[in-house]
Structures are given as C-alpha cells and as structure tokens.
Amino acid sequence: AQKVTQAQTEISVVEKEDVTLDCVYETRDTTYYLFWYKQPPSGELVFLIRRNSFDEQNEISGRYSWNFQKSTSSFNFTITASQVVDSAVYFCALSEGRGNEKLTFGTGTRLTIIP
Amino acid sequence: NAGVTQTPKFRVLKTGQSMTLLCAQDMNHEYMYWYRQDPGMGLRLIHYSVGEGTTAKGEVPDGYNVSRLKKQNFLLGLESAAPSQTSVYFCASSYGLAGGVSNEQFFGPGTRLTVL
C-alpha cells in the first residue's frame, strides 16, 4: 500500500526566511506521480506541482523549489524568502498511475509566516 | 469556466437523516473524486469515478453512496448520517491518465457538514 508522511505538523518562520517542507513516500510501483497542493485559510486546494518517478530533476518556480530524491523516497518543498501569503496548509500526495489516479495524501504541514 | 462547484457549502444534519452532496464540473473531465478532510488526517478518498456510469470505492467508503449518471456531475449520498461523518467534503475532477501522465486534480470549494 502506498503511504505519504509529512512529519512536520506545524512550522512557523519569520517573513523572508527560507523554509523547507518535508515529504516522504512509500510505494511498490516503479511508475508513480508526486504532487504538492496548497490549502490557504480560505479552504480551497490549489495545485502546485506534479513530478513523475522518472524525472528526478529539481524544479524551481519563482520562490518555490522542489527536490525529488528517489534514493530517500523524498519530495521536499522549499519556499525562499517567505511571505505572509505563503501561510497555508501544504499537502504532499502520491498517485500510482494505474489508471484510476487515486491520490494518497499526507496529513499536511501548517505553515505560518510571521510578519 | 466555473471549474468544480459543490452544493451546498454548509449543512447541519441530525443523526439518522439523509442528504446528497452535488458536485459539478465544466472542464469535460472523465475522472471525479470525493474526499473527506478531518483534522490531523489529511484528505481521504471516499469514492471515485473514472467515467460516466462508473463508480468505485476508495479508502473510507462505508456509510456513503455515489452516482455518476452524467459526466459533469458526481453525487455523494449519506443514507443515515452519523456524528462520525462530521467533516469537510471535497470533490475533485481530472483528466485522469490522459496523455500518458497522471493529471492533477482540480478541487471544489468544499462542503462543511455537521451531524448532531
């Protein structure tokens, strides 16, 4: 069975600091997909990134970057120069790409950026 | 495009009552999902559908039923509500495995359900 672990329940940092959110996953499949979603205080879930198991290149999008390491089964998310608008709950999720595309979510990390 | 919409946004039920949550999407997505979100537990899949007329069980299906009579709609039913079903319910849709990749899911705004 697949599993996603986000060990950090809550993180608080002062604005402009960098912060890394950890995600560790378990799966028996060789083909799988990893996702990050953001849930701001308003409650909706916003898609941030998708990464497939064959692409280990790190990705950078503005202040956001993702580090995918198959050797440690991790897909960590870093926010550089954090801003108050980054305050949200962040979820890491895994899909095994078997056709039903079901997502297994981690329990989320609540990030608070202190002005 | 409205994206994914959910009706109602809030609902309070008494134990034993029934209700139906409606999810609608206008993106012509094949796949649709129902999740529940509880504090400290992330989102858990209740039921899902990979096409019109099809449904399947997810991780926590007990106490719920679903129907996908039209491609754009996915209904979640509670036949006899219990306090354990107090939760926030999210509907999502996606293109599924179209294009050979697992496409991202688009989520609705959620329905907050309280069962007394």
Side-chain angles (χ1 to χ4, degrees):
Chain A
Q2 52 188 1
K3 184 179 178 181
V4 176
T5 301
Q6 294 180 256
Q8 304 153 307
T9 305
E10 295 190 25
I11 300 175
S12 295
V13 300
V14 176
E15 194 173 19
K16 298 183 182 177
E17 288 185 350
D18 299 347
V19 58
T20 295
L21 309 182
D22 298 334
C23 173
V24 174
Y25 63 91
E26 295 176 27
T27 178
R28 296 178 184 173
D29 285 0
T30 56
T31 300
Y32 53 89
Y33 297 81
L34 295 161
F35 299 80
W36 276 94
Y37 282 86
K38 174 182 180 180
Q39 187 177 39
S42 55
E44 77 276 18
L45 282 102
V46 178
F47 165 75
L48 295 178
I49 190 172
R50 175 190 64 217
R51 173 66 73 223
N52 75 54
S53 53
F54 299 107
D55 182 3
E56 287 194 72
Q57 283 192 343
N58 293 331
E59 181 154 341
I60 298 174
S61 176
R63 297 184 296 107
Y64 295 173
S65 63
W66 290 268
N67 180 258
F68 176 32
Q69 292 196 337
K70 289 179 74 171
S71 60
T72 56
S73 297
S74 64
F75 187 42
N76 297 337
F77 173 29
T78 297
I79 301 174
T80 303
S82 60
Q83 299 177 2
V84 172
V85 293
D86 296 326
S87 295
V89 180
Y90 291 87
F91 291 98
C92 181
L94 168 69
S95 169
E96 290 183 334
R98 292 186 179 183
N100 54 44
E101 307 324 286
K102 297 184 296 182
L103 286 177
T104 298
F105 282 84
T107 51
T109 297
R110 181 178 299 277
L111 176 64
T112 301
I113 309 300
I114 304 166
Chain B
N1 282 354
V4 180
T5 58
Q6 293 183 230
T7 309
K9 289 185 170 54
F10 303 93
R11 186 71 185 268
V12 178
L13 290 178
K14 294 182 179 179
T15 297
Q17 287 185 319
S18 63
M19 78 162 294
T20 300
L21 281 66
L22 171 63
C23 176
Q25 53 94 5
D26 62 2
M27 295 174 281
N28 202 34
H29 286 166
E30 286 292 335
Y31 292 34
M32 297 186 75
Y33 309 83
W34 276 107
Y35 296 89
R36 60 178 288 174
Q37 183 178 19
D38 302 295
M41 301 188 73
L43 281 83
R44 293 180 293 168
L45 183 65
I46 304 171
H47 286 282
Y48 64 98
S49 168
V50 297
E52 181 179 322
T54 74
T55 63
K57 294 180 179 179
E59 180 185 354
V60 289
D62 294 342
Y64 305 95
N65 56 74
V66 288
S67 64
R68 183 105 181 264
L69 299 180
K70 293 183 178 180
K71 184 177 183 178
Q72 64 268 34
N73 296 337
F74 195 28
L75 279 63
L76 177 70
L78 286 73
E79 290 186 348
S80 179
S84 60
Q85 293 177 304
T86 294
S87 187
V88 180
Y89 292 85
F90 286 97
C91 176
S93 69
S94 82
Y95 287 114
L97 201 56
V101 298
S102 185
N103 289 275
E104 67 270 24
Q105 294 181 17
F106 294 82
F107 284 80
T111 295
R112 187 173 293 275
L113 175 66
T114 301
V115 183
L116 303 176

